[in-house]
Each structure stands twice: as structure tokens, then as C-alpha cells.
Amino acid sequence: MTASPDQSRPVQVLVLAGARAAGDPLCDAEGVASKAVIDIVGQPMLSRVLRALGASRADAPAWVLGLEGAALEAAADGIPCQPLASQGRGPASSLIRALEGPISTPLLVTTCDHALLTPAMVDSFLAKSIASDADMTVGFAERSVIEAEYPETKRTYLRLGGAELSGCNLFYLASPAALKVIRFWQSAEQDRKKPWRIAWRFGPLTALRILLMRSGHEAAFALLSRQLGVRVAPVLLPFAEAAIDVDKPGDLVLVREILTARDA
């Protein structure tokens, strides 16, 4: 069930940049049509993500899903990238369509609102993902790591195996088998902020084991892998900023403060 990835193969990159079907209050507040063009200390948000990816070990240029034409040109700010039209009703279905088209594995997936992304984060995530030999990996940061640096930030935490983890919007699809996970996520996408509902989809007994077990997050993912029939592994990152995306006005304020201090 393991992927046994070829480490010499180039890793393609896909950046999710589609708009929410129900609208985005953050875009409304900033007066823009797409989150990707929001100004982050003098640079469009997507361009910061593309710069980090371009300086990493990932294969450039990246594919950008959900933006085309003038909108993509403005968001990319002159950085080469490849447009890909959204063809689904959400990120999961659009990703499935992309993998049925020009995109192939191994594939790194991230989002346009990952404004604090750095090449070190990308390289650390890819190295650990490939070493895991899993079909798919998901990036996380522990609550203790995040709150040690930014106690004021409000994140959504997933409690697994006794650990409190926050997603880092970094995903590695090592093999086509990862599509099983994406198809499951497509069915559970509306519950992404309610982990107990996602766990309940495996049945009440499995859900209770996932939610109550205290044997570590890796054991929890091993159980999930058996249920899905594909090996999924967590990758813990030591970077607090990896878990801070721009999802709310408060996130935008914090990200601008961090980058202003970093640039200074």
C-alpha cells in the first residue's frame, strides 16, 4: 500500500486559487474579486506563494487552479506560472479533474493564501513526505509550536491521538492512489471545520477510536489509512507560520505585521 516514490522525479506544484462559491467576506472588505490579489506588504498574495515555491526544490513553474487571464497576471506579478481553469464545485472536485488532465503525481498542493510560505517550509515538507513513503501526506503544526510564537492567533485544531494539530495547507500526493483520499475529502468537504463529523463517516465505532485514542497522531493516521485503503501520513513542521493562512481579517492583519517585521 506504500507509494515507494522515485526521489529523482520532479515534483509538480498546484496552487489552489479559486473563489468560494458563497463569496468571501475578506475579498469584500479589501475590495478585490480574488483573495490572490490582496496586497501583502507591497506584493500580491499569490506572488509571495509563487516566489517561495520557485526558490524551493519543487518543479517550477507552478500550476494555478482557479485564475486565468488578466486576473492571474495581476496576482502573479510577473512570476511565471501556468493557468488551470476550475472544473469542479470545490477544491477537491477541481483537484480530481486536474489530475485527470495535465497534472500528474508526484504533486505538491498548496493555496494562494499561504502568504507566509518560505522555501525552507516547502523543502522540509517535501523531504519528510518523500521519506515517509506514504501515498499522501498532510502538513501540520502542533498547537504548542504555534502558540509559542503567536499566542494571539486563532486556528482550527484537529485533535488526533492526544495531539492538537493545525493544518498547514501543504499536501503531497506521491502516487495516483492518493485520489482515494481526495474523493473521500470531496464527500466530506462541507465538514472541514468539524473533525468529529468527518470521523463519523467511517462509522460510530471507528469515529470513537479516532477521537478518543491517545496513542499518538501517527497511530490515528494509521487507522485512517486502513479505513481508506491508502497510506496517509502526517508531516509535522517546526514552523509556526506554516499554519497561518489568510482566511479572516484578523489573519490578514497578523500576516502583514509578521512580514513587515521580517522585511525590516
Side-chain angles (χ1 to χ4, degrees):
M1 191 165 59
T2 56
S4 300
D6 180 356
Q7 297 194 30
S8 66
R9 290 181 63 193
V11 178
Q12 287 192 297
V13 184
L14 180 65
V15 181
L16 304 178
R20 294 177 180 174
D24 192 330
L26 187 58
C27 290
D28 296 339
E30 291 294 305
V32 296
S34 169
K35 188 189 289 189
V37 300
I38 291 177
D39 181 88
I40 306 289
V41 194
Q43 298 176 17
M45 184 150 53
L46 174 64
S47 72
R48 286 188 171 272
V49 176
L50 295 176
R51 284 188 181 89
L53 292 167
S56 75
R57 62 169 290 183
D59 193 38
W63 292 89
V64 178
L65 178 65
L67 280 181
E68 298 179 272
L72 179 56
E73 288 183 17
D77 197 28
I79 300 174
C81 56
Q82 305 174 85
L84 192 63
S86 295
Q87 297 181 353
R89 294 185 177 182
S93 58
S94 293
L95 179 54
I96 291 170
R97 295 287 186 88
L99 286 164
E100 292 171 346
I103 306 295
S104 61
T105 57
L107 176 68
L108 171 70
V109 180
T110 189
T111 57
C112 73
D113 61 357
H114 208 327
L116 298 177
L117 190 68
T118 65
M121 292 177 193
V122 176
D123 289 346
S124 176
F125 176 70
L126 285 176
K128 292 180 178 180
S129 295
I130 292 171
S132 75
D133 212 28
D135 295 296
M136 179 174 175
T137 61
V138 184
F140 291 100
E142 293 186 88
R143 185 171 195 152
S144 58
V145 171
I146 299 167
E147 293 189 345
E149 295 287 335
Y150 306 104
E152 71 276 26
T153 187
K154 304 296 183 184
R155 315 314 311 166
T156 299
Y157 290 98
L158 182 67
R159 291 173 174 82
L160 277 179
E164 290 185 285
L165 309 175
S166 184
C168 292
N169 284 359
L170 287 168
F171 309 89
Y172 178 69
L173 285 62
S175 75
L179 269 171
K180 292 182 181 179
V181 185
I182 305 303
R183 291 192 177 98
F184 171 78
W185 183 248
Q186 182 182 21
S187 69
E189 210 162 25
Q190 69 271 21
D191 296 328
R192 66 188 184 279
K193 298 291 185 179
K194 299 175 181 178
W196 66 271
R197 286 191 177 180
I198 296 175
W200 201 259
R201 291 173 178 267
F202 294 108
L205 292 179
T206 300
L208 288 173
R209 289 180 64 193
I210 292 171
L211 296 172
L212 299 179
M213 69 190 311
R214 292 292 180 268
S215 52
H217 58 275
E218 290 185 349
F221 269 86
L223 176 58
L224 288 170
S225 296
R226 289 195 294 272
Q227 293 293 320
L228 291 168
V230 56
R231 188 178 174 203
V232 188
V235 169
L236 298 192
L237 297 172
F239 312 97
E241 293 90 347
I244 301 175
D245 56 5
V246 183
D247 201 39
K248 304 180 294 293
D251 299 332
L252 182 57
V253 171
L254 177 60
V255 165
R256 283 170 171 165
E257 289 175 352
I258 292 170
L259 287 172
T260 297
R262 185 189 292 176
D263 292 345

